[in-house]
């Protein structure tokens, strides 16, 4: 590889919403387009990661293709040879390197991962709160014991092992730069640790050690995009986990439904349109969304009536969704499949070459094998 590698994952199976467009999709696409002259940009669909927590497996393939269409509609270029688009599971080396790295990873390392512990507790609480398992007796001690019991039987090894697969995703291609949020920082540091551990044991040129979290933030910028907040509860980010859907504008929402959600959005009783994240998170969220949709918020700042402003935001959302959904409908699946096939062929060659070096280093292959 003549270029350094930037690697980032695209969502495989989540319902994407308008917050993803401005918070992740556009920044990722702009980064890929702007950096592709200098870097090889690997954009992969983490389909193996997608079922570390429960999903509807019958819908996975359809969701993968749908989400790729969304990225293409948002501007992802399919004709740039320096941007690779591939599915993780179509590169078998990801799985094999994970198995190898597992044997050089400590249980304690994985058990200390904050994201695993958070998801473990959330999944356990969901099982108990659903009534599938009841907690009898008093108190927090009983609930704590039950959470631990559920965690031991219901949490998959795949979720526990997630950081090792992520390390394989990165190390196979010698990726130096990986845009990570705070929730993935621990995983990146583990990737650096396991790469250095393997290099110390088997040779310094076995793996490229990705840059530190600090250097990643310096390269990409600490904040990759705007965080759109929930329309009903603007103290939290917009998320598909909102069971009612009232606070989330999904990219597949009918434009008229999205407009109603905007008109019903939580604001405040201060009767002043102003940017104030602490005291007016709802109206500030709408102002920032309006700006992202091309509106000039200064036209409304200082006004005392919210209705006309909400209507203006709703109108922008209707235009955005109408145009975006038209672009999605116009995406050519044949072009997507051609891009996937070309990228997966190239990535298989790169990944297999790295895997062979690892296999030779640890004694699984003859060092003379090419």
């Amino acid at each position: 590889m003549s270029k350094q590698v930037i690697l980032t994952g695209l969502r495989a199976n989540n319902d994407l919403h308008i917050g993803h467009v401005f918070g992740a999709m556009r920044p990722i696409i702009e980064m890929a387009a702007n950096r592709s002259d200098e870097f090889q940009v690997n954009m992969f669909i983490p389909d193996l990661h997608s079922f570390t927590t429960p999903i509807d497996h019958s819908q996975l393939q359809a969701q993968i293709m749908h989400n790729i269409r969304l990225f293409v509609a948002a501007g992802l270029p399919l004709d740039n040879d320096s941007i690779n688009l591939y599915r993780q599971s179509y590169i078998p080396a990801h799985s094999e390197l994970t198995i190898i790295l597992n044997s050089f990873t400590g249980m304690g390392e994985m058990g200390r991962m904050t994201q695993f512990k958070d998801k473990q507790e959330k999944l356990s609480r969901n099982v108990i709160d659903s009534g599938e398992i009841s907690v009898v007796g008093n108190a927090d001690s009983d609930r704590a014991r039950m959470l631990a019991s559920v965690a031991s039987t219901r949490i998959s090894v795949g979720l526990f092992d997630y950081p090792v697969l992520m390390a394989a995703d990165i190390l196979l291609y010698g990726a130096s730069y990986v845009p990570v949020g705070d929730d993935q920082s621990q995983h990146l540091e583990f990737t650096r640790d396991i790469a250095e551990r393997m290099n110390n044991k088997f040779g310094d040129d076995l793996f490229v050690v990705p840059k530190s979290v600090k250097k990643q933030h310096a390269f990409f910028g600490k904040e990759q995009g705007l965080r759109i907040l929930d329309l009903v509860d603007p103290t939290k980010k917009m998320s598909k986990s909102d069971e009612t859907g009232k606070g989330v504008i999904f990219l597949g929402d009918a434009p008229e439904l999205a407009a109603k959600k905007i008109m019903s959005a939580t604001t405040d009783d201060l009767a002043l349109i102003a940017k104030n994240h602490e005291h007016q998170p709802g109206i500030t969220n709408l102002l920032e969304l309006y700006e992202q949709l091309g509106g000039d918020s200064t036209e409304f700042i200082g006004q005392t009536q919210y209705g006309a402003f909400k209507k203006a935001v709703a109108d922008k959302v209707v235009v955005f969704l109408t145009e975006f959904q038209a672009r999605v409908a116009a995406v050519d699946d044949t072009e997507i499949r051609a891009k996937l096939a070309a990228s997966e062929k190239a990535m298989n060659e790169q990944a297999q070459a790295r895997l062979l070096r690892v296999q030779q280093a640890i004694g699984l292959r003859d060092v003379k094998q090419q």
Side-chain angles (χ1 to χ4, degrees):
M1 290 177 285
S2 59
K3 294 181 176 181
Q4 283 188 292
V5 177
I6 297 171
L7 180 140
T8 188
L10 311 183
R11 293 174 183 267
N13 64 309
N14 290 341
D15 290 331
L16 301 184
H17 52 68
I18 200 168
H20 289 125
V21 174
F22 305 117
M25 295 169 72
R26 283 187 177 173
I28 286 173
I29 292 166
E30 289 172 3
M31 177 277 295
N34 293 337
R35 302 278 190 177
S36 61
D37 286 344
E38 185 181 356
F39 292 87
Q40 172 182 308
V41 182
N42 287 7
M43 307 181 76
F44 76 103
I45 294 90
D47 49 357
L48 292 172
H49 286 297
S50 67
F51 51 87
T52 54
T53 53
I55 66 166
D56 182 350
H57 292 267
S58 69
Q59 297 300 312
L60 180 56
Q61 285 302 306
Q63 288 180 326
I64 288 171
M65 283 300 295
H66 177 64
N67 283 2
I68 295 174
R69 291 186 202 104
L70 296 180
F71 272 90
V72 174
L76 178 65
L78 297 178
D79 58 353
N80 187 326
D81 292 338
S82 292
I83 299 176
N84 297 289
L85 179 68
Y86 58 98
R87 293 160 290 191
Q88 183 186 39
S89 70
Y90 279 65
I91 318 294
H94 285 251
S95 300
E96 185 159 355
L97 183 59
T98 300
I99 293 296
I100 292 172
L101 294 180
N102 275 341
S103 293
F104 298 90
T105 299
M107 292 283 288
E109 286 180 293
M110 296 297 96
R112 289 191 294 271
M113 292 292 166
T114 301
Q115 193 178 55
F116 167 73
K117 290 189 286 188
D118 290 346
K119 288 186 176 181
Q120 177 188 47
E121 181 173 353
K122 181 178 179 180
L123 286 169
S124 300
R125 290 185 184 280
N126 285 346
V127 171
I128 292 175
D129 292 342
S130 70
E132 183 179 346
I133 294 178
S134 60
V135 179
V136 294
N138 165 21
D140 294 334
S141 59
D142 283 348
R143 188 172 181 84
R145 284 194 296 272
M146 183 61 73
L147 284 171
S149 175
V150 173
S152 68
T153 58
R154 300 296 181 89
I155 307 304
S156 74
V157 173
L159 181 61
F160 184 74
D161 203 32
Y162 182 107
V164 184
L165 177 55
M166 180 174 166
D169 298 334
I170 296 167
L171 298 177
L172 277 173
Y173 306 99
S176 296
Y177 294 102
V178 186
V180 290
D182 291 338
D183 60 341
Q184 294 286 336
S185 294
Q186 262 191 315
H187 297 173
L188 182 64
E189 289 304 328
F190 165 74
T191 300
R192 287 169 48 79
D193 290 344
I194 192 68
E196 290 173 346
R197 186 178 309 157
M198 298 291 284
N199 286 352
N200 289 337
K201 187 174 182 66
F202 297 108
D204 289 341
D205 63 344
L206 189 62
F207 290 122
V208 173
V209 179
K211 304 297 184 184
S212 66
V213 171
K214 182 178 180 180
K215 290 182 177 179
Q216 301 288 347
H217 289 330
F219 183 78
F220 292 108
K222 179 66 170 66
E223 295 297 334
Q224 291 299 299
L226 179 67
R227 176 173 289 189
I228 302 297
L229 302 177
D230 188 276
L231 298 175
V232 175
D233 181 0
T235 63
K236 65 181 184 180
K237 70 177 182 179
M238 190 174 285
S239 171
K240 73 180 186 68
S241 62
D242 172 17
E243 295 181 359
T244 68
K246 294 179 180 179
V248 184
I249 296 176
F250 292 103
L251 294 178
D253 277 351
E256 297 76 13
L257 173 60
K260 290 180 180 178
K261 292 180 181 181
I262 293 292
M263 296 305 295
S264 300
T266 299
T267 51
D268 52 65
D269 58 1
L270 298 181
L272 177 66
I273 297 177
K275 277 192 177 182
N276 187 323
H277 289 91
E278 181 178 359
H279 298 293
Q280 293 182 275
I283 204 70
T284 301
N285 187 43
L286 292 178
L287 284 166
E288 292 181 341
L289 177 58
Y290 187 63
E291 291 169 351
Q292 290 294 314
L293 293 168
D296 181 1
S297 63
T298 61
E299 298 174 2
F300 292 94
I301 288 178
Q303 294 186 13
T304 59
Q305 299 295 319
Y306 292 166
F309 170 58
K310 280 187 170 184
K311 179 64 166 56
V313 179
D315 289 344
K316 287 286 187 183
V317 168
V318 167
V319 171
F320 170 80
L321 285 180
T322 301
E323 294 178 350
F324 187 85
Q325 290 170 7
R327 291 198 300 274
V328 173
V331 171
D332 186 346
D333 283 2
T334 303
E335 292 183 7
I336 290 177
R337 295 189 185 281
K339 179 67 173 180
L340 288 170
S343 294
E344 285 161 1
K345 181 177 185 297
M347 294 302 97
N348 261 307
E349 292 173 357
Q350 290 185 15
Q352 195 60 40
R354 179 77 60 177
L355 178 62
L356 177 59
R357 289 176 61 187
V358 175
Q359 292 168 327
Q360 289 171 330
I362 65 176
L364 291 175
R365 296 291 185 274
D366 193 306
V367 294
K368 297 178 181 179
Q369 183 177 342
Q370 299 295 320

